[in-house]
Amino acid sequence: MSSSSSPPRGRRPRIDRARTLRTALDLLDRSGLDALTMRRLADAMDVQAGALYRYYATKQDLLMAMAEHMVGGVAEAAAATGDTVWSERLVALARALRAALLAHRDGARVFAGTHATGAHTLGFAETVVGVLRKAGFSDDDAARTLFTVANFTVGHTLEEQAALSAHGAEPSSPDVLRAAVTPRDHPHLHATLSALTDTDFDQLFEFGLNLLVDGLRARHRPV
């Protein structure tokens, strides 16, 4: 006798946008972006592949929804720090975005390949631009800083996740660099090889973020 919780024989599992999105994120975390296809997603949900297109017309639509989901709560997480100084709030927003992308395997690749305009993504952008405009930055500088912060954060996280996903299957980037750099041909690189091959991604991110903020402080001309 079948369990009372089992679906009636022959009935397909329930499918909707929310379940499709959750399953796609689970599949991403287990197998990575390259393995995420609409067919594999349909198999994981035990449905026909065509059923998915009722909710996501293309894979790009699905990736956009995944990217939007990933950054949910980023602006709120940064606000929870209680920082009131513009530079500290900007740093908190960048850190929160990085953490959100790191929370999912290949999260930065998913986010970088989409142009989401949902409430979460626009909320993050609105918060960044608002922080800067209220601090006295011009509208143009505030908008361009949004792109700079987002591009730096996503780009850094792309490299970080790529390094973390190698799992020792191939020589690591630091090992490759050490083997390629010689004192005779690359004296400056050789002198800085310790820093160039450092895999402390937290430290590297904070250094770049501080450089960005220092440059903004130098440019800051409150009106």
Side-chain angles (χ1 to χ4, degrees), residues 8-26:
R9 185 182 301 274
R11 177 177 294 180
R12 289 286 182 183
R14 181 173 177 270
I15 178 174
D16 55 28
R17 285 182 65 88
R19 180 176 173 238
T20 304
L21 180 57
R22 287 195 305 270
T23 307
L25 289 165
D26 289 342

Side-chain angles (χ1 to χ4, degrees), residues 2 14-15 31 35 37 40 55 73 87 92 108 110 113 118 122 126 130 153 171-173 176 200 204-205:
S2 64
R14 181 173 177 270
I15 178 174
S31 305
T37 65
R40 289 195 65 180
Y55 303 99
S87 56
V110 172
L122 292 183
E126 173 74 9
T153 303
S172 67
S173 295
V176 171
D200 186 340
L204 185 60
F205 180 75

Side-chain angles (χ1 to χ4, degrees), residues 4 9 16 22 29 32-33 38 42 54-55 72 76 82 117 122 126-127 130 168 173-174 176 199 213:
S4 60
R9 185 182 301 274
D16 55 28
R22 287 195 305 270
D29 289 338
L33 181 57
M38 298 300 273
R54 176 181 177 184
Y55 303 99
E76 292 79 3
T117 55
L122 292 183
E126 173 74 9
T127 303
S173 295
V176 171
T199 55
V213 171

Side-chain angles (χ1 to χ4, degrees), residues 138-150:
S138 70
D139 291 350
D140 286 352
D141 281 357
R144 289 164 183 157
T145 298
L146 166 65
F147 286 124
T148 302
V149 170

Side-chain angles (χ1 to χ4, degrees), residues 2-221:
S2 64
S3 168
S4 60
S5 61
S6 300
R9 185 182 301 274
R11 177 177 294 180
R12 289 286 182 183
R14 181 173 177 270
I15 178 174
D16 55 28
R17 285 182 65 88
R19 180 176 173 238
T20 304
L21 180 57
R22 287 195 305 270
T23 307
L25 289 165
D26 289 342
L27 185 57
L28 176 73
D29 289 338
R30 289 198 309 269
S31 305
L33 181 57
D34 292 334
L36 178 60
T37 65
M38 298 300 273
R39 181 171 296 279
R40 289 195 65 180
L41 177 58
D43 289 343
M45 299 181 69
D46 193 24
V47 299
Q48 295 295 321
L52 301 179
Y53 295 105
R54 176 181 177 184
Y55 303 99
Y56 299 100
T58 66
K59 182 180 177 181
Q60 189 64 20
D61 289 339
L62 175 63
L63 293 176
M64 191 176 301
M66 293 168 68
E68 171 68 6
H69 178 86
M70 287 177 187
V71 297
V74 167
E76 292 79 3
T81 64
D83 293 315
T84 56
V85 179
W86 70 265
S87 56
E88 295 302 320
R89 292 192 65 193
L90 189 64
V91 165
L93 284 159
R95 287 172 178 164
L97 177 59
R98 175 179 173 237
L101 300 180
L102 285 174
H104 292 278
R105 181 174 175 179
D106 291 335
R109 283 182 65 195
V110 172
F111 189 83
T114 61
H115 300 282
T117 55
H120 298 318
T121 304
L122 292 183
F124 170 80
E126 173 74 9
T127 303
V128 171
V129 172
V131 164
L132 294 165
R133 291 185 71 237
K134 289 175 184 176
F137 285 87
S138 70
D139 291 350
D140 286 352
D141 281 357
R144 289 164 183 157
T145 298
L146 166 65
F147 286 124
T148 302
V149 170
N151 290 343
F152 165 70
T153 303
V154 174
H156 170 92
T157 312
L158 273 168
E159 294 295 333
E160 181 174 2
Q161 290 187 312
L164 293 174
S165 68
H167 297 306
E170 300 176 356
S172 67
S173 295
D175 289 339
V176 171
L177 186 59
R178 289 189 192 97
V181 170
T182 65
R184 186 189 69 180
D185 296 329
H186 318 98
H188 301 301
L189 294 179
H190 190 268
T192 57
L193 200 54
S194 176
L196 290 171
T197 56
D198 189 354
T199 55
D200 186 340
F201 291 104
D202 290 340
Q203 183 182 56
L204 185 60
F205 180 75
E206 292 297 324
F207 182 84
L209 196 54
N210 286 333
L211 280 182
L212 194 156
V213 171
D214 286 346
L216 286 170
R217 286 198 185 101
R219 190 182 181 88
H220 192 209
R221 298 290 186 272

